[in-house]
Amino acid sequence: NPSPPSSEAEEEESDAVGNTVYSKHWLFSILTRLIEVISPEKTEPTVSPEGIQTELDEEMENDICKVWDMSMDEDVALFLQEFNAPDIFMGVFAKSKCPRLTEICVGILGNMACFQDICMSISKDENLGQVLLQRLCDSDSPTLLETSRLLLTCLSQPEVANVWVERIRENPSVYDCVCFIMSSSTNVELLVKVGEVVDKLFDLDEELMLNWIKNGACRSVGPSVDDSPEELPDFKIVPCILEAAKQVRSDNPEGLDVYMHILQLLTTVDEGIQAIVQTPDGGKETWSLLYDLICHELCQPDDPLIIVQEQKTVLASILSVLSAMFASQTEQEYTKMRKSNVKLPFSCYFILDMPLIGSLIRILQYMEGCGKRSVDNSKESEQEETGRADINEEDFHLKILKDICCELLSNMLQELTKENTLEGLHQGHLNEETCSCAFQNLLPLYFASVESFLEVLREADQTLADNLEKRFPSLKVHT
């Protein structure tokens, strides 16, 4: 006997993609239409006078955007992978001149790459990988944003990160394109995402970071793209990072954190420190930006104590760079003194700045205040195990910030003269409260620096020096 006809519910269920309510036939029809859009036989609907398609059919755009949204579902992503959507998208990149279509297709790939197996398949496709890197030379900001998001997703997958690092290292045009974006874009969202890509790359591979540090000395040659800038200047990585940081600083705190961490990563190698301090302005622009952030923007006197916890990572990155610059310039000054046999004054514009010393002490005061409050809270209620883990992690990051802050402060105090100290006393950066906070945090590890500063302070304000000696008996002069 013939089987009874299937119900509409059964037909819908057989047409569903995985456990979703999305239709296989509908998705397949969109992929088919996409192939038609880029096929040579297809007459492009909207053409500019130069013969370049500039717009996408409204209905097609709406449908492909629905696919973009749907591709966040793993079942849909797997269906698209099964029907070779990445190959279709590669055809779009090669033939379409419609920026919106390119953006959407890269965005769909970015969603698909969030799933490990698909990410591995995309990453191992050498042709697709090269084509995607070429998208970094695109002139369309939305496409650049989606390309950067896709790259960051792949670099965040340990199984394929090395594939992309090697691919980028072998493709010199990536350096030019990234530097061009950082130095010229005003799109904050794009700058943040590109910064995250650079941060991830430098964190993953020191060799690539060294190559990019040295890359400003020579022109890089890579595959040309039709819509890439005709001529790119000789980029140096530090000025590009600074320009991007200036763009994001007021609109995106997380983006500022990213770019400050990139600078910090540069200081982990000697070549990176030299790239910062041996710029044409001698590092002045870098120091000025970081100085302004520390002294006038972050962890300010009218901020609540909790601000030091919220800003701990960006503060640690900034102070780490300042400390590396200070040590480098101090070493250069001493080298000049040895060569000339003349004791030269510290002429560097940043060495003995009292507002900066005041800001370092304020950060230590805020950390002390947070520490006291944490102790009080722990006495009032018991923390659950997960809570304790979070607090321990907070304490760890705050300890890193404190260590960096103390190192820079001790080095600066050791170089103070009587004139600098008098200036600090007059401006209010140095007094019994601030000096006590500094000594409390610096002792006993930085005893020599504190002792050196106290000798200078005794010349400037004997009474204050005596009071500090009473509070810290270990500092009393032994006769």
Side-chain angles (χ1 to χ4, degrees), residues 87-310:
D87 290 340
I88 298 173
F89 297 153
M90 194 153 60
V92 170
F93 303 149
K95 298 178 181 179
S96 173
K97 299 300 180 182
C98 176
R100 179 60 173 161
L101 181 58
T102 302
E103 173 205 353
I104 295 170
C105 291
V106 178
I108 295 172
L109 275 176
N111 284 348
M112 293 172 64
C114 292
F115 306 105
Q116 183 177 335
D117 290 344
I118 300 177
C119 185
M120 292 181 67
S121 176
I122 292 173
S123 300
K124 291 178 180 178
D125 187 329
E126 186 62 29
N127 291 332
L128 180 58
Q130 294 296 335
V131 169
L132 288 172
L133 289 184
Q134 289 179 16
R135 290 299 96 210
L136 286 173
C137 297
D138 206 297
S139 59
D140 181 59
S141 291
T143 298
L144 289 171
L145 176 61
E146 293 308 318
T147 303
S148 301
R149 185 173 72 89
L150 170 58
L151 289 177
L152 184 63
T153 299
C154 294
L155 289 169
S156 300
Q157 296 267 10
E159 297 80 9
V160 298
N162 288 338
V163 173
W164 286 98
V165 169
E166 184 64 27
R167 188 174 286 148
I168 291 170
R169 190 191 298 132
E170 294 176 353
N171 197 322
S173 66
V174 174
Y175 170 85
D176 277 334
C177 295
V178 167
C179 285
F180 181 75
I181 294 168
M182 291 193 296
S183 62
S184 62
S185 177
T186 56
N187 185 320
V188 171
E189 190 178 5
L190 171 60
L191 288 172
V192 173
K193 195 58 65 177
V194 168
E196 289 175 343
V197 171
V198 174
D199 188 42
K200 191 69 176 178
L201 283 170
F202 286 4
D203 196 36
L204 286 169
D205 193 80
E206 185 176 294
E207 181 184 345
L208 183 142
M209 182 173 71
L210 287 169
N211 289 342
W212 281 26
I213 291 170
K214 300 170 184 176
N215 220 1
C218 59
R219 283 295 303 135
S220 54
V221 179
S224 60
V225 184
D226 291 341
D227 50 7
S228 64
E230 293 182 5
E231 279 191 32
L232 295 176
D234 291 339
F235 290 114
K236 293 185 183 297
I237 191 69
V238 173
C240 296
I241 293 170
L242 293 179
E243 189 59 39
K246 292 174 187 176
Q247 286 290 334
V248 306
R249 65 181 287 186
S250 57
D251 296 325
N252 196 300
E254 292 78 13
L256 179 64
D257 198 343
V258 168
Y259 279 98
M260 293 303 100
H261 189 253
I262 294 173
L263 283 176
Q264 182 183 2
L265 287 174
L266 291 181
T267 64
T268 60
V269 294
D270 289 339
E271 292 87 347
I273 297 173
Q274 296 309 309
I276 294 173
V277 300
Q278 291 184 359
T279 52
D281 64 3
K284 184 176 181 179
E285 186 178 358
T286 303
W287 186 275
S288 297
L289 174 62
L290 304 188
Y291 171 90
D292 195 42
L293 289 169
I294 289 293
C295 294
H296 303 129
E297 206 162 303
L298 301 173
C299 199
Q300 293 302 293
D302 55 349
D303 287 332
L305 287 177
I306 193 68
I307 198 69
V308 76
Q309 290 191 353
E310 295 176 358

Side-chain angles (χ1 to χ4, degrees), residues 34 38 60 157 166 210 252 305 338 359 406 461 479:
L34 192 58
I38 60 173
M60 182 62 186
Q157 296 267 10
E166 184 64 27
L210 287 169
N252 196 300
L305 287 177
R338 287 196 301 270
S359 296
C406 286
D461 190 329
T479 57

Side-chain angles (χ1 to χ4, degrees), residues 67-81:
V67 177
W68 192 359
D69 292 335
M70 293 160 57
S71 62
M72 290 186 288
D73 186 288
E74 186 172 8
D75 286 332
V76 174
L78 289 169
F79 177 85
L80 293 172
Q81 175 77 3

